[in-house]
Amino acid sequence: MPRSKTLPAELDPSARQLVTRLRRLKDHSELTMRQLAVKTGYSAKSWERYLGGTSLPPREAVEVLARITGTDPVPLLALHEIAADSRDGRRARPAAQQQNEQREREQEQPASPATPHPGPPTAATARTPTPAIEPAPGRFPHTALTAGIAALAVALSAALLLMLRLDDEAGQAAVIASPRTTAASPPPSYTCRIARLDGRWSAGINKGRDTEIVYGATGADVAEAQCLLRRAGISPGGIDGMFGPLTLRAVKAFQDRSGLTVDGMLGPRSWKALRG
């Protein structure tokens, strides 16, 4: 599996955490960029940007990746929301700074005072106290904006730590789940019942369907193909209904032996040869 590229140094911490988890899901599923594009509806180029940290993935892309890998999408969507808020805050910051600088320039421009008529100071003038010098009002919004940004950063960091803690607790709860709960959903079990029906080989699992399947697929169609590959003398590993690396290698070996296009995909011609 190719080594993932290093994420950009300027990437926001919440976005970095999100991209790291998405990379981990993609690696564990053993999906290629092409297969990821087929299953999610987003192009391979888009996934290269998302997983490379150069572009924040859409919320829908995060949700569909979690669904096809069997992962709870809630922690990922929370990270995505934090990363999106942080990105929007960085975009709004330059505009606010420009407005504050404009106000400061306007306040610093000297006014044109009227030339007073020279004369002796009157008693009323002498008794009038000198008004205190007040700071330019343009500086207060800039200070308030800086304080608001700092408070937002603290709140986002606290929310991120809370989500990570909840995610860890959820993982621990899944590990210590009762045996009764775990046994309620056992993995599917397949048994090869090789027989010749109407001149075609069948394993009795998928009712003779010749559905096109590719790397990463799961289910009865994959188990049927694994049984027929084993009948042909090529081991696909276990009969588990998962189109993984061992099954992919067996399919390519069978295609090469049968004079078919070696693409690792079980289409109509490969099924026809398997059912021979």
Side-chain angles (χ1 to χ4, degrees), residues 159-175:
L160 178 58
L161 291 175
L162 177 60
M163 291 306 303
L164 292 177
R165 181 176 179 181
L166 291 176
D167 191 21
D168 292 339
E169 291 177 354
Q172 293 176 0
V175 171

Side-chain angles (χ1 to χ4, degrees), residues 135-199:
R139 299 181 184 274
F140 284 104
H142 179 71
T143 304
L145 178 62
T146 303
I149 292 173
L152 177 61
V154 173
L156 290 176
S157 299
L160 178 58
L161 291 175
L162 177 60
M163 291 306 303
L164 292 177
R165 181 176 179 181
L166 291 176
D167 191 21
D168 292 339
E169 291 177 354
Q172 293 176 0
V175 171
I176 63 175
S178 63
R180 181 177 179 181
T181 303
T182 305
S185 56
S189 177
Y190 301 101
T191 302
C192 299
R193 296 182 175 88
I194 302 297
R196 193 78 171 171
L197 300 176
D198 298 329

Side-chain angles (χ1 to χ4, degrees), residues 24-89:
R24 193 178 304 157
L25 292 180
K26 186 257 184 189
D27 293 341
H28 287 176
S29 66
E30 299 182 343
L31 293 174
T32 64
M33 287 296 186
R34 176 185 175 188
Q35 294 163 353
L36 197 59
V38 172
K39 289 179 175 291
T40 62
Y42 293 86
S43 66
K45 290 292 184 181
S46 297
W47 278 111
E48 289 178 1
R49 294 195 303 272
Y50 301 157
L51 299 179
T54 59
S55 178
L56 184 66
R59 177 186 176 91
E60 292 76 10
V62 175
E63 190 170 2
V64 72
L65 178 56
R67 186 175 67 251
I68 65 175
T69 56
T71 304
D72 183 10
V74 173
L76 294 175
L77 295 178
L79 280 176
H80 181 274
E81 184 174 354
I82 295 173
D85 290 343
S86 179
R87 177 196 61 185
D88 296 340

